[in-house]
Amino acid sequence: MASKIMSINAGSSSLKFQLFEMPEEVLLVKGLFERIGLEDEMIFSYSIKDAKVKTSVKGKSHEEAINFLLHFLLERKVLTSLDELSGVGHRVAHGGEDFKTSSLVDSCALQKIKDLGKLAPLHNPVNVVGIEALQKDLPDCPQVAVFDTSFHQTMEAKNYVYPLPYRFYEEDSVRRYGFHGTSHQFVAAEAANYLEKPIESMKIISCHLGNGASICGIKDGKSVITSMGFTPLAGLMMGTRCGDIDPSIIPFLQNEKNLSASDMDKLMNAESGFKGVTDFSSDTRDIISEAEKGNERAKLALDMFAGRVKQTIGAYAAELDGVDVLIFTAGIGENSAVIREMICQDLTFFGIAIDQDQNQKNSRRISSAASSVEVLVVETNEELMIVRDTFHLI
Ligand code: AMP
């Protein structure tokens, strides 16, 4: 029987949603509320069939956004009654070690998600706001939490314990968790489908390169290693995040520049990466265009980014004992032929070679006939993954 299932992704001042008919995976409507809580009105954009609309609506809380959304779905006849909604899946940032898979949200799960706010103070509390707002309006509708971390719970201890005193892992849960799990899992499954091979037979390196960026080594369909860590700050250089740096730089700069721990946290999360190096943008489109005009700092930033991605691919090929499929996804991975080419240059030792034409066209398969590794561009769709998990769980 067909079911209508909605995904919700609540951010600090935004709320994204998509409503699908399952199991056919037909997208009925998708949209976004922005600037929640900043003024008396929020911006609401949605697309339904071929129409795209952007408007402002009264209200300044996530509860009001959800209330408006449910009325909107009825008014636009996407739903004839709210009972038609079979389930809602929520993106939740941190599932810690408690959630190894997606989970139905009962009072016990909700409490655990709240407690995990300690590890993700900017994200889990706002995810909870989304869950509670929907519980209020639709008390009988099953809700599911889909975690950014759970796909990586298959990592072995040698890949998640940090070489700090072990008690910090035991007492304070300090370990590598990894993020973007929903995306890595989705694109790996899509790649296996496309290649018509069982995922269990493949060694996959998935590069999620967007404003946030991470790489995941996947063997037998399971995450073995990933570049983000205790938080999404670790690993690659990103739009505004520094990724891995010598940890001693932190106390050094704090002392030299008289910065507090939270100043330093902000500097590494919001003022570093592409933005920090170029001093003009976190967006690789601007940076590529400046590099083409000869801007040396823009060129340096691109070389740094591509270099780090390449080094991580090499490291993960060693960890997996080879690689069969290399996947590029997210804003940069799906759209930037220039950056994909920079990353894949001089990787012939690993059997990676790309076809210039296919790469320029953003084709699904961009590896050349000479490449022993399949190099694929796969569009990520975290919302569809959330809805699939919700459908299976309810
Ligand atoms: P995401 O976080 O996945 O939405 O990715 C957003 C980022 O992708 C933007 O900030 C851009 O840096 C990058 N991006 C999107 N389109 C392109 C493009 N055509 N060329 C280079 N970078 C792009």
Side-chain angles (χ1 to χ4, degrees):
M1 204 186 90
S3 307
K4 288 180 180 168
I5 299 195
M6 183 155 68
S7 71
I8 294 281
N9 182 353
S12 56
S13 63
S14 67
L15 187 136
K16 289 187 208 159
F17 66 92
Q18 294 198 9
L19 180 66
F20 283 87
E21 187 143 276
M22 299 296 282
E24 296 81 7
E25 303 191 345
V26 178
L27 178 63
L28 302 174
V29 55
K30 70 173 184 177
L32 161 72
F33 293 86
E34 291 169 284
R35 302 188 62 78
I36 301 175
L38 302 183
E39 286 142 27
D40 287 341
E41 297 202 325
M42 15 189 197
I43 298 171
F44 176 46
S45 5
Y46 63 92
S47 50
I48 195 164
K49 299 197 175 103
D50 287 335
K52 280 194 177 162
V53 179
K54 190 169 188 172
T55 175
S56 61
V57 298
K58 283 224 162 349
K60 49 181 175 181
S61 67
H62 288 78
E63 286 87 351
E64 284 170 298
I66 283 176
N67 249 309
F68 181 90
L69 171 59
L70 296 176
H71 282 113
F72 165 84
L73 295 174
L74 292 172
E75 193 197 340
R76 297 302 302 255
K77 303 201 173 11
V78 187
L79 299 175
T80 47
S81 106
L82 291 179
D83 296 338
E84 246 192 291
L85 206 53
S86 310
V88 178
H90 295 263
R91 179 184 192 178
V92 178
H94 218 305
E97 292 187 330
D98 293 312
F99 295 101
K100 300 197 187 308
T101 57
S102 301
S103 167
L104 271 166
V105 181
D106 55 14
S107 57
C108 170
L110 187 60
Q111 189 55 49
K112 280 186 188 164
I113 295 169
K114 286 182 182 173
D115 294 344
L116 285 162
K118 187 178 158 207
L119 299 180
L122 297 179
H123 297 103
N124 273 33
V126 73
N127 301 149
V128 167
V129 168
I131 296 173
E132 290 188 326
L134 260 149
Q135 277 180 336
K136 220 189 255 172
D137 283 333
L138 301 174
D140 299 324
C141 179
Q143 301 201 50
V144 168
V146 179
F147 301 91
D148 274 8
T149 48
S150 37
F151 181 56
H152 304 301
Q153 280 294 303
T154 46
M155 282 188 293
E156 287 181 41
K158 64 175 180 167
N159 282 343
Y160 69 70
V161 174
Y162 287 118
L164 288 165
Y166 195 76
R167 66 176 185 279
F168 293 120
Y169 167 54
E170 292 178 307
E171 293 167 13
D172 300 287
S173 309
V174 173
R175 53 158 282 179
R176 182 192 300 276
Y177 291 98
F179 297 85
H180 288 150
T182 315
S183 174
H184 290 300
Q185 189 176 10
F186 179 83
V187 296
E190 288 286 297
N193 245 343
Y194 173 75
L195 296 169
E196 297 180 350
K197 287 188 182 152
I199 197 164
E200 294 76 20
S201 70
M202 285 190 285
K203 294 169 184 170
I204 300 173
I205 298 178
S206 160
C207 303
H208 177 112
L209 309 178
N211 195 28
S214 74
I215 303 193
C216 182
I218 300 166
K219 201 176 195 172
D220 304 332
K222 297 192 179 101
S223 170
V224 170
I225 178 70
T226 192
S227 59
M228 283 179 167
F230 178 59
T231 71
L233 178 60
L236 303 173
M237 164 181 165
M238 307 179 214
T240 60
R241 287 173 244 170
C242 59
D244 290 348
I245 57 170
D246 179 343
S248 294
I249 295 171
I250 299 165
F252 173 80
L253 281 182
Q254 283 185 276
N255 286 332
E256 286 292 308
K257 304 289 178 196
N258 201 16
L259 299 172
S260 67
S262 80
D263 291 338
M264 202 56 217
D265 198 45
K266 183 165 168 264
L267 189 145
M268 294 186 296
N269 273 289
E271 295 161 28
S272 299
F274 276 114
K275 185 158 180 249
V277 176
T278 62
D279 224 3
F280 65 83
S281 180
S282 61
D283 192 312
T284 40
R285 284 165 289 203
D286 303 337
I287 296 163
I288 291 168
S289 130
E290 284 305 305
E292 282 165 359
K293 290 181 211 152
N295 182 319
E296 288 301 325
R297 202 83 74 73
K299 282 190 209 164
L300 170 66
L302 292 171
D303 284 340
M304 287 167 63
F305 178 75
R308 277 153 201 246
V309 174
K310 184 194 286 254
Q311 289 150 21
T312 311
I313 292 171
Y316 287 11
E319 176 72 29
L320 299 177
D321 187 18
V323 51
D324 303 310
V325 187
L326 176 65
I327 302 173
F328 288 105
T329 191
I332 300 171
E334 290 167 27
N335 298 299
S336 179
V338 174
I339 296 183
R340 288 193 302 257
E341 187 181 343
M342 289 173 77
I343 294 167
C344 292
Q345 230 169 38
D346 305 326
L347 275 179
T348 44
F349 174 78
F350 291 95
I352 294 170
I354 59 171
D355 180 297
Q356 301 293 342
D357 269 2
Q358 299 304 327
N359 186 39
Q360 283 302 329
K361 288 187 208 150
N362 292 328
S363 299
R364 174 57 72 98
R365 178 189 267 125
I366 59 167
S367 37
S368 69
S371 187
S372 58
V373 174
E374 297 275 7
V375 185
L376 305 180
V377 175
V378 181
E379 202 179 318
T380 191
N381 192 340
E382 287 159 292
E383 282 73 20
L384 180 54
M385 189 78 207
I386 290 170
V387 165
R388 278 183 190 165
D389 269 14
T390 305
F391 180 68
H392 291 310
L393 271 169
I394 63 171

